Amino acid sequence: MATAFVLTGGGSLGAVQVGMLTALHEAGIHPDLLVGTSVGAVNAAYVAGAAGTDPSALGARLRSLARLWHDLHRRDVFTLDPYRWWSAARGHEPSMFSGIGLTQLLERHLGYDALEDAGLPVAVTVTDLVTGVGHLLHEGPSVRAVRASAAVPGVLPPVHLQGRTFVDGAIGELEVLDRTAARGVTDVYLLPAGYPCAGRPPTSALGIALTSLSLLLHRGLTQQVRSYTGAARLHVVPPLCPLNTSPADFTQSTTLIQRAHLSTRAWLHDGADNPATTAADVLALHAHRRRPRHEEGRSRGV
């Protein structure tokens, strides 16, 4: 039996996946293959740095990932640089942010140079900026591959790799669930970071960009789950709902991890084997009644 974990994008909502991963680990469900997109690629690549499938090593890696998210600030990834913004607006830079912060973060914490050198098999999705075709990278320089997968167009710079120009894997044409199932696994666990289905809409450029991408990704995921034809059993871990944290808000990581941990434990306790159609309904785009102002979280307006 082989198990694959597929981790989606979602900006700062990637913290949700840490809680999901921890609950799955506690239940004895461990990945033999990790596939990640955007921030999911960051999480997948980090977890893949564990020393093989040893449960204690994987548990230690998950605890260190939780600490990393707890200490992470928006400036660590999206560093303010007014001159770059002005230059980007004039067409002299390819993105609002340089990506240096993300690069340094990955260089400090991944612990391996090439994807094929990871302790666990890992692949990340990227999108060819010319053709729009999605690709699964399972070898090559790890930092550049993950950077490419997380390169939100206009927000972080594209990455030139293997003779192509790649951007965020969330926007490409790629049936990642079927492609993952085709790699000989028996079970595929989809870990969606989710999207803000409650609260007020974002007002900042970064918040709007990341929220829009999250909505696009979720719509695509729903379609993929509905049309999934792979031989492997598909398990969709329910995303947090209601959720009013912006994908640009890094102040809520600890809370998101805790909520996702508890909700995933409850899902596992209840059986965790919903039919794909039911899972697709759980993923489907929706909205909740706006909360009163005094009940809204710190992410308001981000």
Side-chain angles (χ1 to χ4, degrees):
M1 176 179 291
T3 299
F5 286 3
V6 176
L7 287 70
T8 73
S12 64
L13 303 182
V16 168
Q17 294 169 341
V18 183
M20 293 174 171
L21 288 164
T22 301
L24 291 169
H25 173 70
E26 292 172 348
I29 303 171
H30 305 126
D32 299 293
L33 167 67
L34 291 143
V35 179
T37 296
S38 200
V39 72
V42 176
N43 285 333
Y46 186 89
V47 173
T53 57
D54 177 62
S56 61
L58 184 58
R61 193 72 169 173
L62 289 174
R63 289 191 294 274
S64 65
L65 179 60
R67 289 194 297 270
L68 192 157
W69 271 100
H70 176 77
D71 295 334
L72 191 64
H73 299 89
R74 183 166 59 182
R75 64 177 179 271
D76 296 327
V77 179
F78 304 111
T79 306
L80 297 177
D81 185 350
Y83 177 77
R84 183 180 180 89
W85 295 353
W86 177 82
S87 187
R90 292 177 59 86
H92 301 314
E93 294 287 355
S95 60
M96 294 169 56
F97 300 94
S98 68
I100 293 175
L102 177 59
T103 299
Q104 293 175 339
L105 190 72
L106 294 169
E107 289 175 343
R108 286 197 304 269
H109 295 288
L110 280 190
Y112 54 94
D113 294 329
L115 293 176
E116 60 267 33
D117 296 332
L120 289 167
V122 61
V124 301
T125 71
V126 295
T127 301
D128 188 312
L129 186 56
V130 175
T131 66
V133 174
H135 297 268
L136 269 178
L137 301 182
H138 52 83
E139 60 183 18
S142 57
V143 170
R144 290 181 62 79
V146 175
R147 272 188 54 211
S149 185
V152 180
V155 176
L156 293 171
V159 174
H160 304 288
L161 192 63
Q162 300 179 355
R164 296 187 176 97
T165 300
F166 290 128
V167 293
D168 198 303
I171 65 173
E173 184 179 354
L174 177 67
E175 295 294 327
V176 66
L177 296 177
D178 285 307
R179 289 279 296 275
T180 300
R183 298 188 66 165
V185 298
T186 57
D187 290 86
V188 175
Y189 283 81
L190 175 63
L191 282 63
Y195 67 97
C197 58
R200 300 173 65 84
T203 57
S204 71
L206 180 61
I208 291 171
L210 295 183
T211 299
S212 299
L213 186 61
S214 294
L215 293 171
L216 177 66
L217 170 61
H218 232 78
R219 183 176 65 185
L221 277 176
T222 303
Q223 295 171 347
Q224 283 200 45
V225 170
R226 290 192 190 281
S227 62
Y228 175 73
T229 59
R233 291 182 293 270
L234 176 62
H235 314 269
V236 181
V237 182
L240 290 183
C241 182
L243 181 61
N244 71 335
T245 301
S246 164
D249 180 9
F250 287 80
T251 68
Q252 305 297 308
S253 296
T254 300
T255 299
L256 293 176
I257 291 171
Q258 293 171 346
R259 283 187 62 194
H261 182 212
L262 292 174
S263 68
T264 304
R265 284 179 60 184
W267 173 72
L268 290 165
H269 181 268
D270 291 341
D273 283 321
N274 294 326
T277 52
T278 302
D281 292 337
V282 170
L283 289 176
L285 296 175
H286 63 276
H288 292 272
R289 181 181 62 84
R290 181 179 297 179
R291 298 183 180 185
R293 285 182 178 272
H294 69 276
E295 293 182 4
E296 291 180 2
R298 293 170 59 189
S299 65
R300 184 174 63 231
V302 174

